[in-house]
């Protein structure tokens, strides 16, 4: 992982060098819009490698250019970049100020996508400041804007942040609604992994409320898609969840069968942690190592 980070930094530094060369070439024609666009790109690259002082100096040059040109969209874009810069610097209040400056202009000029980006940026800052109520309000506003404009990807981002907030607060009723909305969005995108994981999460919430049959339905909905999409880790999870529900319903034989099916697959894909956990679950049902091996030999259902 560290090597990947170092490689990324090397690549970014190379891009910075190339961008600076481009700027030198463009400077011959004057500091026009092409020069400023390239300077803005340079600032974004410098933010990535945490060269904040140089980045900010370059952003201010861009901002002054757009002010002289009375280019409102250009100014808004620069305010947005400053929002990113201060977020990276962990100066969250300052980041919110700049995002709000950008948001004001984008609202006036009816730039919906940019509005969404700003709302998400402000919400992320509030999360960092542990201001969950303010963050929730922002992400709810952003979700509504995304829904109105059929922006499913950003809607899912907002819902993900809302889920994070309400999980921390253990507000299970709101969580259920958010997962339902997420499920619909994943279905629109035909995102099988999203559908499976969200179905499982809804099952977990139903299990928490001791609504075991409803939980079972959600877990069972995820399993066929997991097989179809060839996600062995999700198949193992789903079978384990189903086994647990059968156990809670007092159907020990069915619970054992699901755990055995999951264990067969876990062994096939060499999922070590899952193998250990499933053996523990089977032993909790009263099976010994020898019994488990016999069950595995006698079962051909994965």
């Amino acid at each position: 992982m560290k090597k990947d980070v170092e490689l990324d930094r090397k690549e970014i530094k190379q891009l910075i060098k190339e961008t600076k060369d481009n700027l030198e070439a463009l400077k011959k024609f004057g500091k026009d819009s092409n020069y400023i666009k390239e300077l803005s790109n340079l600032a974004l690259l410098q933010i990535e490698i945490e060269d904040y002082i140089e980045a900010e100096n370059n952003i201010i040059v861009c901002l002054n250019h757009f002010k002289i040109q009375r280019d409102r969209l250009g100014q808004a874009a620069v305010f947005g970049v400053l929002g990113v810069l201060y977020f990276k610097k962990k100066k969250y209040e300052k980041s919110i100020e700049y995002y709000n400056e950008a948001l004001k202009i984008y609202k006036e000029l009816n730039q919906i996508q940019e509005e969404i980006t700003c709302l998400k940026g402000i919400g992320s800052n509030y999360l960092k400041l542990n201001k969950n109520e303010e963050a929730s309000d922002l992400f709810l506003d952003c979700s509504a804007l995304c829904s109105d404009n059929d922006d499913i990807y950003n809607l899912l981002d907002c819902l993900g942040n809302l889920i994070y907030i309400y999980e921390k607060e253990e507000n299970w009723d709101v969580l259920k609604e958010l997962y339902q909305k997420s499920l619909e969005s994943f279905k629109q995108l035909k995102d099988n992994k999203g559908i499976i994981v969200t179905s499982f999460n809804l099952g977990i919430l139903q299990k928490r409320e001791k609504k075991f049959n409803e939980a079972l339905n959600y877990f069972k909905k995820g399993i066929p898609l997991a097989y179809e999409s060839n996600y062995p880790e999700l198949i193992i999870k789903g079978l384990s969840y189903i086994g647990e529900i059968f156990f809670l319903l007092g159907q020990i034989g069915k619970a054992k069968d699901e755990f055995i099916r999951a264990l067969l697959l876990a062994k096939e894909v060499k999922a070590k942690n899952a193998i250990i956990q499933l053996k523990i679950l089977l032993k909790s049902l009263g099976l010994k190592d020898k019994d488990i091996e016999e069950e595995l030999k006698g079962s051909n259902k994965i």
Side-chain angles (χ1 to χ4, degrees):
M1 187 72 165
K2 195 178 174 187
K3 278 185 181 175
D4 289 345
V5 172
E6 285 169 6
L7 185 66
D8 286 346
R9 281 185 74 85
K10 264 180 116 174
E11 287 171 352
I12 291 167
K13 282 184 175 179
Q14 180 57 35
L15 282 170
I16 286 172
K17 184 184 176 302
E18 289 169 13
T19 307
K20 283 181 174 176
D21 290 344
N22 288 343
L23 282 166
E24 282 303 311
L26 288 166
K27 201 190 282 184
K28 293 169 188 171
F29 304 99
K31 295 183 179 181
D32 58 7
S33 58
N34 291 326
Y35 178 90
I36 295 299
K37 188 180 176 185
E38 197 69 354
L39 191 63
S40 177
N41 290 337
L42 175 62
L44 285 167
L45 290 168
Q46 288 166 329
I47 290 170
E48 284 299 312
I49 60 161
E50 297 168 14
D51 185 359
Y52 298 133
I53 293 169
E54 280 299 307
E56 189 164 5
N57 289 338
N58 290 327
I59 294 165
I60 296 304
V61 171
C62 295
L63 184 58
N64 289 335
H65 168 84
F66 290 124
K67 280 181 177 176
I68 291 164
Q69 297 291 321
R70 296 186 180 179
D71 181 340
R72 301 269 285 147
L73 270 179
Q75 289 174 52
V78 174
F79 288 137
V81 175
L82 284 165
V84 173
L85 171 72
Y86 281 101
F87 181 81
K88 294 269 190 179
K89 286 175 79 173
K90 299 182 180 175
K91 295 188 176 179
Y92 304 120
E93 299 281 4
K94 196 78 176 164
S95 176
I96 289 168
E97 280 178 37
Y98 280 116
Y99 272 125
N100 272 321
E101 287 293 324
L103 183 61
K104 218 183 296 175
I105 297 170
Y106 287 135
K107 276 186 173 176
E108 283 174 25
L109 301 176
N110 197 33
Q111 301 293 306
I112 304 298
Q113 284 306 122
E114 287 75 11
E115 275 186 61
I116 289 167
T117 302
C118 289
L119 289 170
K120 281 170 61 182
I122 298 166
S124 297
N125 277 294
Y126 279 132
L127 278 182
K128 291 290 185 182
L129 290 165
N130 291 315
K131 294 185 174 181
N132 286 349
E133 196 175 327
E134 290 90 336
S136 175
D137 288 344
L138 257 297
F139 288 123
L140 284 168
D141 287 347
C142 192
S143 296
L145 193 58
C146 292
S147 292
D148 291 344
N149 291 277
D150 297 321
D151 187 341
I152 306 299
Y153 290 104
N154 278 316
L155 174 61
L156 281 166
D157 267 356
C158 293
L159 292 173
N161 282 303
L162 287 164
I163 284 166
Y164 169 78
I165 292 165
Y166 287 105
E167 269 179 350
K168 277 175 76 177
E169 294 179 359
E170 298 187 355
N171 191 330
W172 310 123
D173 288 338
V174 174
L175 259 181
K176 205 184 297 179
E177 285 177 36
L178 291 168
Y179 278 131
Q180 290 284 10
K181 285 180 183 175
S182 297
L183 188 59
E184 288 310 308
S185 298
F186 283 125
K187 282 178 180 175
Q188 277 183 261
L189 292 173
K190 296 181 179 172
D191 180 335
N192 284 356
K193 191 168 189 178
I195 295 167
I196 297 160
V197 171
T198 308
S199 296
F200 288 170
N201 285 333
L202 280 161
I204 290 164
L205 286 180
Q206 297 288 7
K207 185 188 80 171
R208 185 183 291 278
E209 293 179 8
K210 302 193 187 313
K211 295 177 179 175
F212 299 132
N213 287 315
E214 289 91 333
L216 198 58
N217 287 335
Y218 277 116
F219 294 140
K220 284 183 173 179
K221 278 176 188 173
I223 292 281
L225 265 183
Y227 276 112
E228 185 187 311
S229 308
N230 195 25
Y231 291 132
E233 74 285 1
L234 291 177
I235 299 168
I236 293 164
K237 263 190 185 179
L239 292 172
S240 303
Y241 290 145
I242 290 170
E244 191 184 348
I245 294 296
F246 280 135
F247 174 77
L248 292 168
L249 289 168
Q251 298 178 33
I252 306 303
K254 285 185 176 181
K256 179 205 70 181
D257 290 345
E258 296 301 324
F259 291 146
I260 289 293
R261 287 175 68 201
L263 183 55
L264 271 168
L265 182 54
K267 279 177 167 284
E268 188 180 295
V269 298
K270 296 181 174 60
K272 289 180 184 176
N273 288 340
I275 291 167
I276 293 164
Q277 287 163 9
L278 286 159
K279 283 186 174 179
I280 291 168
L281 286 168
L282 285 160
K283 284 177 182 178
S284 75
L285 300 181
L287 277 75
K288 296 185 170 55
D289 283 325
K290 190 177 78 171
D291 301 323
I292 293 169
E293 288 309 311
E294 282 176 9
E295 287 286 347
L296 288 170
K297 282 175 193 170
S299 179
N300 58 5
K301 295 180 287 181
I302 294 181

